[in-house]
Amino acid sequence: MVSDSRKASSASQTLSRGIRVLEVLADAQEALSVDQIAERLGVHRSIAYRLIRTLEDHGLLTREPAGKFELGTRLAALAAGIKHDLQAAALPELTAVANELGMTCFVAVMDREECVTLVSVEPRHAVASVAQRPGSRHPFTVGAPGRAILSQLPEAGWPEGIREVAARGYADSHGEVIENLSAVAVPLPLRGHDPAALAVVYLSSTLAPSELAERLKAAAKAVRDALGG
């Protein structure tokens, strides 16, 4: 007879592997075959197939005509429910900034030791823009958004460089997360939410980081006002 603890352990491992399937496909940003997913998970093909079928049944994965799998539209509905009020308040401002500056504008939030993109908008008529997909993540200490978030935490926990960010009210970076890309971010402190940041990411600009930061600060204030402070 299988003990309750062993059953729980098995269920937890299955759940963990299912989540990893979603993460693998999100990182790949393309459809993958069962064999490719199994290889990246480090499990037998039969195990990967069972996980995939379960996720497919729940609409979290979809199968292409060629037989490969990609993330399903059900995930979009789930993602829309994450910090819904913040997404709704930020979207008009992100759209305005993106189209005005010709840069991708986004909100990043804190998730344990990482900075995660919550919602993003690419400029409508830019010749070349940078994709910043919701769910993309990197360590706090790398890139402008993470440092803008860190500047809102207690000073005792600040790593090197955050004091300057806090003093001037924005952070900037170049080539730290992705080679050749620059970013500017401002803090987005919100009542009832973990620290966030409002940022732009771009290839090049005729505006100085301080000028971009001023536009972002105005957008951040508008978001805070929409949420009641």
Side-chain angles (χ1 to χ4, degrees):
M1 183 174 181
V2 180
S3 68
D4 289 344
S5 61
R6 286 182 61 188
K7 287 179 181 178
S9 176
S10 176
S12 296
Q13 183 184 56
T14 301
L15 176 59
S16 178
R17 283 173 169 172
I19 293 170
R20 283 288 298 130
V21 171
L22 299 176
E23 291 175 340
V24 163
L25 284 165
D27 290 341
Q29 297 182 14
E30 63 177 350
L32 298 176
S33 67
V34 175
D35 289 337
Q36 288 173 315
I37 294 171
E39 180 182 357
R40 297 184 191 197
L41 284 180
V43 300
H44 190 273
R45 186 183 192 280
S46 62
I47 294 174
Y49 185 72
R50 286 198 299 270
L51 295 169
I52 289 167
R53 284 301 307 273
T54 300
L55 293 169
E56 186 182 15
D57 288 344
H58 286 276
L60 301 178
L61 295 185
T62 58
R63 190 194 308 251
E64 288 190 332
K68 292 186 175 183
F69 293 87
E70 60 185 359
L71 296 177
T73 54
R74 175 63 181 157
L75 280 173
L78 295 176
I82 300 172
K83 298 184 183 294
H84 173 74
D85 56 342
L86 175 53
Q87 291 197 55
L91 193 57
E93 296 303 319
L94 298 183
T95 302
V97 172
N99 290 326
E100 179 181 326
L101 299 179
M103 301 173 180
T104 297
C105 190
F106 63 99
V107 169
V109 296
M110 181 173 67
D111 181 20
R112 290 175 288 186
E113 300 299 317
E114 294 184 306
C115 174
V116 182
T117 298
L118 176 67
V119 59
S120 67
V121 174
E122 295 180 33
R124 188 179 299 115
H125 300 302
V127 175
S129 61
V130 179
Q132 182 73 20
R133 292 179 173 82
S136 60
R137 60 180 62 228
H138 55 78
F140 275 145
T141 52
V142 179
R147 288 200 286 275
I149 290 174
L150 283 171
S151 71
Q152 301 168 67
L153 300 181
E155 186 175 347
W158 285 354
E160 185 178 353
I162 302 304
R163 189 178 304 278
E164 179 184 358
V165 172
R168 67 185 183 180
Y170 74 91
D172 63 306
S173 61
H174 178 73
E176 293 185 20
V177 178
I178 299 176
E179 188 177 0
N180 297 325
L181 294 186
S182 297
V184 174
V186 301
L188 184 58
L190 300 166
R191 187 185 309 151
H193 289 275
D194 289 331
L198 200 154
V200 287
V201 60
Y202 55 96
L203 286 165
S204 63
S205 175
T206 57
L207 298 176
S210 59
E211 294 175 290
L212 297 175
E214 288 305 309
R215 180 64 184 89
L216 291 174
K217 288 177 183 179
K221 181 180 184 303
V223 173
R224 289 197 301 272
D225 289 347
L227 290 171

